[in-house]
């Protein structure tokens, strides 16, 4: 029995929607059967498993402590993997005893978000790919209780915690699950003293962590500098009307038409999700590269896995090949709330439309529909470069130039975002600062691409 036990209570706060999903718990008779559900505890409350945090913390230790074995001494090893010999396996010195997930008061229920895949050739929504998942709203806190019995391991753990910024759950390349450590408390029980033994023997669960002292506060856990691809976010203004559908419809208007609602975040603001940015810009980058050289990019699904676009945006595993693994993209696209000057949420209006009869040229009876749109507002596109390997080389210059030209196409109106881009929706224009940046960089990017790609084309005899 150890003489000294270190007990830690960690509080993590989600800055973006996220959460660990549990597809195995989906039930056909549940109200949310169509959605990919969050993991839940035995009482039905959203839950973040301790294994998710343990894996993230171990990965952070490997990055921070290097390859000298310190991470394995702290978090143990799995042995040599042979079924008949487990003698080399060692247990982790850090035990995560349990977790508790608490939703914020302003968003006491999980979010539901729908999304669809984008056809990489057409740049439009791909049919039969609509999907929905549950998400924990930003502001959700996850409390974890840890126990460490070795003093040296406790010191190593305290060195790691201030720089730990875990990602909870999937969809990381679209900004989901970004969390930060906002509070750490510690209680040290000396079992060689009567007081220490009394607490250890008479208390249990979270009560064992009472009277702990704060060793890290939210003020000390300021987030690190974000690795912006272009050194800063890119700001756009809505030119005509913007509609990114939420998949929900409501009855309204004097003719009781169905109104397609705009997607909103946990604060009720219209939002352009990171998944929309990623799908649209990936499609455009592939289009630009294919226009310059047929071999420069792929148009395959789930992806070729070798071109610059797959390396930057990632690709999915091939379901028909059990041995083909996917790759998480290094580019991260965060959600973009649509706001007015001053940061207040942009206002939405309803626009009525009716389908035309292709023979008479007049309105078709019974096909009146309504969109909820934003007519004025600003969106800030945040693109981060976060490779899974901390020692990875910088983002490929060719891909950076292609991505910049895709943003230039968005700025000039060649490319639209959201729904209805062929009928006057989705046109954005860069703010004055963004316009100056894109107008200065686009010619240079075109020149670099022109110098790079024709060389390979000439070598191939094209």
């Amino acid at each position: 029995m150890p003489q000294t036990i270190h007990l830690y209570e960690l509080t993590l706060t989600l800055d973006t929607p996220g959460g660990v999903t549990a597809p195995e718990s989906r039930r056909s008779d549940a109200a949310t059967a169509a959605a990919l559900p969050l993991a839940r505890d035995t009482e039905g409350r959203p839950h973040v498993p301790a294994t998710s945090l343990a894996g993230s913390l171990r990965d952070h230790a490997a990055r921070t402590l290097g390859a000298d074995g310190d991470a394995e001494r702290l978090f143990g090893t799995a042995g040599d993997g042979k079924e008949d010999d487990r003698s080399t396996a060692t247990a982790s010195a850090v035990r995560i005893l349990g977790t508790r997930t608490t939703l914020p008061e302003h968003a006491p229920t999980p979010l539901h978000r729908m999304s669809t895949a984008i056809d990489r050739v057409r740049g439009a929504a791909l049919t039969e790919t609509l999907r929905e998942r549950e998400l924990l709203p930003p502001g959700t806190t996850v409390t974890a209780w840890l126990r460490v019995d070795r003093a040296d391991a406790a010191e190593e753990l305290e060195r790691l915690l201030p720089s730990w910024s875990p990602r909870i759950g999937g969809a990381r390349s679209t900004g989901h699950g970004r969390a930060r450590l906002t509070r750490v408390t510690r209680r040290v029980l000396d079992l060689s003293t009567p007081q220490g033994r009394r607490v250890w023997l008479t208390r249990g669960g979270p009560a064992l962590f009472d009277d702990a002292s704060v060793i890290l506060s939210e003020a000390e856990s300021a987030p690190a500098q974000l690795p912006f691809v272009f050194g800063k976010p890119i700001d756009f203004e809505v030119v005509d009307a913007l509609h990114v559908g939420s998949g929900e419809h409501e009855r309204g208007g004097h003719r009781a038409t169905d109104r397609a609602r705009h997607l909103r975040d946990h604060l009720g603001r219209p939002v352009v999700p990171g998944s929309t940015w990623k799908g649209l810009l990936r499609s455009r980058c592939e289009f630009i590269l294919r226009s310059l050289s047929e071999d420069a990019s792929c148009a395959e699904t789930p992806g070729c896995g070798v071109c610059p676009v797959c390396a930057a945006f990632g690709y999915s595993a091939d379901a028909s090949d059990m041995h083909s693994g996917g790759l998480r993209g290094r580019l991260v696209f965060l959600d973009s709330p649509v706001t007015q000057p001053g940061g207040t949420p942009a206002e939405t209006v309803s626009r009525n439309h009716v389908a035309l009869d292709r023979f008479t040229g007049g309105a078709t009876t019974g096909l009146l529909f309504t969109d909820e749109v934003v007519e004025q507002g600003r969106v800030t596109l945040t693109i981060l470069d976060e490779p899974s390997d901390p020692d990875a080389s910088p983002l490929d210059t060719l891909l950076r130039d292609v991505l910049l030209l895709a943003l230039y196409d968005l700025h000039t109106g060649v490319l639209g975002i959201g729904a209805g881009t062929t009928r006057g929706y989705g046109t954005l224009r860069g703010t004055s600062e963004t316009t100056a940046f894109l107008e200065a960089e686009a010619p240079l990017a075109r020149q670099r691409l022109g110098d790079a790609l024709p060389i390979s084309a000439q070598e191939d005899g094209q």
Side-chain angles (χ1 to χ4, degrees):
M1 185 70 182
Q3 291 296 309
T4 303
I5 297 177
H6 294 74
L7 301 172
Y8 298 90
E9 183 178 275
L10 278 55
T11 302
L12 296 160
T13 302
L14 277 174
D15 290 328
T16 62
V20 177
T21 56
E24 70 279 1
S25 66
R26 180 182 288 168
R27 294 167 45 193
S28 59
D29 60 339
T32 59
L36 183 61
L38 288 167
R40 282 177 161 77
D41 60 18
T42 55
E43 297 183 8
R45 298 171 299 192
H47 176 60
V48 174
T51 51
S52 297
L53 299 184
S56 174
L57 191 54
R58 181 190 180 98
D59 181 67
H60 176 62
R63 294 167 180 254
T64 305
L65 301 178
D68 57 359
D70 288 342
E72 292 186 351
R73 288 196 297 271
L74 188 59
F75 290 96
T77 61
D80 55 15
K82 297 180 180 179
E83 294 184 1
D84 57 347
D85 185 6
R86 301 288 185 181
S87 59
T88 58
T90 57
S92 172
V94 178
R95 309 182 195 180
I96 302 184
L97 306 179
T99 66
R100 180 177 62 203
T101 303
T102 305
L103 275 66
E105 293 182 359
H106 64 267
T109 58
L111 304 173
H112 283 254
R113 181 167 291 185
M114 291 185 176
S115 59
T116 183
I118 286 186
D119 188 298
R120 294 180 182 175
V121 177
R122 296 184 299 112
L126 194 62
T127 58
E128 299 182 356
T129 60
L130 183 66
R131 53 192 181 268
E132 181 182 4
R133 64 173 296 191
E134 278 190 307
L135 294 168
L136 296 171
T140 297
T141 58
V142 180
T143 304
W145 294 280
L146 280 63
R147 171 185 168 183
V148 183
D149 293 344
R150 292 186 357 228
D152 61 327
E155 293 178 2
E156 290 285 358
L157 177 64
E158 292 179 20
R159 281 176 47 201
L160 291 173
L161 291 178
S163 57
W164 183 39
S165 298
R167 305 291 183 262
I168 298 176
R172 300 183 184 186
S173 61
T174 52
H176 287 180
R178 301 177 70 87
R180 54 193 167 87
L181 193 62
T182 53
R183 181 181 170 89
V184 178
T185 63
R186 176 187 61 198
R187 185 173 194 180
V188 181
L189 297 180
D190 187 352
L191 301 188
S192 65
T193 65
Q195 176 64 21
R197 291 193 295 270
R198 183 180 301 109
V199 172
W200 180 247
L201 295 174
T202 59
R203 296 188 184 182
L208 194 61
F209 294 77
D210 292 344
D211 304 324
S213 57
V214 177
I215 63 173
L216 187 145
S217 64
E218 184 171 6
E220 299 170 328
S221 62
Q225 180 66 35
L226 294 176
F228 297 110
V229 170
F230 298 106
K232 57 186 177 181
I234 307 296
D235 294 323
F236 293 96
E237 295 176 343
V238 177
V239 175
D240 38 38
L242 175 65
H243 176 77
V244 179
S246 66
E248 299 176 349
H249 293 76
E250 64 179 5
R251 301 289 286 180
H254 65 285
R255 297 190 182 182
T257 60
D258 286 335
R259 183 175 71 153
R261 298 199 61 196
H262 197 291
L263 181 65
R264 296 176 180 271
D265 64 9
H266 64 293
L267 297 177
R269 300 173 298 186
V271 66
V272 178
S275 57
T276 296
W277 289 117
K278 180 181 178 181
L280 178 71
L281 292 174
R282 175 177 189 142
S283 173
R284 192 62 181 180
C285 287
E286 290 178 339
F287 170 79
I288 293 172
L289 283 175
R290 288 196 306 270
S291 301
L292 297 173
S293 173
E294 293 182 359
D295 300 328
S297 180
C298 71
E300 302 176 17
T301 300
C304 66
V306 297
C307 70
V309 176
C310 285
F313 287 84
Y315 61 95
S316 302
D318 189 349
S320 63
D321 185 357
M322 302 248 338
H323 300 287
S324 68
L327 175 71
R328 177 174 63 84
R330 62 185 294 168
L331 296 181
V332 177
F333 298 81
L334 302 187
D335 290 354
S336 303
V338 189
T339 61
Q340 295 177 335
T344 58
E347 296 182 356
T348 59
V349 298
S350 296
R351 282 193 176 184
N352 293 326
H353 303 274
V354 65
L356 292 180
D357 188 300
R358 297 184 180 180
F359 294 97
T360 67
T364 302
T365 304
L367 291 185
L368 181 69
F369 61 97
T370 304
D371 290 332
E372 182 183 34
V373 302
V374 175
E375 294 184 330
Q376 291 183 333
R378 171 180 291 192
V379 291
T380 298
L381 170 58
T382 301
I383 310 177
L384 308 178
D385 182 17
E386 295 183 339
S388 55
D389 183 1
D391 298 324
S393 57
L395 184 67
D396 187 78
T397 301
L398 181 143
L399 194 284
R400 185 183 182 278
D401 287 339
V402 172
L403 182 59
L404 188 141
L405 292 179
L407 295 178
Y408 185 78
D409 288 344
L410 195 64
H411 158 67
T412 57
V414 175
L415 183 65
I417 189 168
T421 57
T422 59
R423 52 186 173 90
Y425 282 8
T427 304
L428 302 180
R429 179 180 57 239
T431 61
S432 57
E433 183 177 355
T434 297
T435 298
F437 170 72
L438 293 177
E439 293 289 351
E441 293 292 329
L444 301 177
R446 292 194 198 96
Q447 180 64 42
R448 286 191 291 266
L449 288 175
D451 292 341
L453 293 180
I455 296 177
S456 60
Q458 292 174 3
E459 291 177 350
D460 294 338
Q462 299 178 356

